[in-house]
Amino acid sequence: MTQATSSLQQMPHYVRVRSEPDAAFVEFDFAIGYPDLFVELVLPQAAFVSFCDHNQVLHMDAAMAAAVDADMRKWRYGESRDQDD
């Protein structure tokens, strides 16, 4: 195992579920180290559970998700905007 691989495994792994709880496929964001730098993925329910177990993920709470959304709005619009704008 290389040093880069080892350090990646030591970083926190984040998941933010975007789909409904009873959906056949789970749509989610997956990030390593930085919750605002993520990829969007889709997996069947059973594969998602296995993926989360294998990667020892931390599920984003509402506060973390709101912070990520605020940062995305800042980058898109050049300033922080409230969700109601």
Side-chain angles (χ1 to χ4, degrees):
M1 186 177 324
T2 67
Q3 184 178 359
T5 303
S6 178
S7 64
L8 271 177
Q9 290 174 342
Q10 293 172 353
M11 290 179 165
H13 293 64
Y14 300 101
V15 163
R16 178 181 184 183
V17 176
R18 300 275 188 171
S19 57
E20 296 297 319
D22 58 345
F25 291 92
V26 181
E27 298 173 29
F28 63 101
D29 301 338
F30 176 65
I32 299 174
Y34 305 94
D36 54 341
L37 182 60
F38 57 88
V39 295
E40 299 173 354
L41 301 171
V42 178
L43 289 173
Q45 287 280 348
F48 174 72
V49 170
S50 178
F51 178 89
C52 290
D53 288 344
H54 177 77
N55 288 288
Q56 300 176 358
V57 302
L58 302 171
H59 289 266
M60 286 191 206
D61 60 15
M64 184 180 281
V68 169
D69 290 344
D71 191 56
M72 288 177 66
R73 284 190 301 275
K74 183 175 109 179
W75 280 102
R76 176 170 283 175
Y77 301 110
E79 60 186 45
S80 183
R81 300 176 113 190
D82 290 336
Q83 196 168 2
D84 296 333
D85 286 353

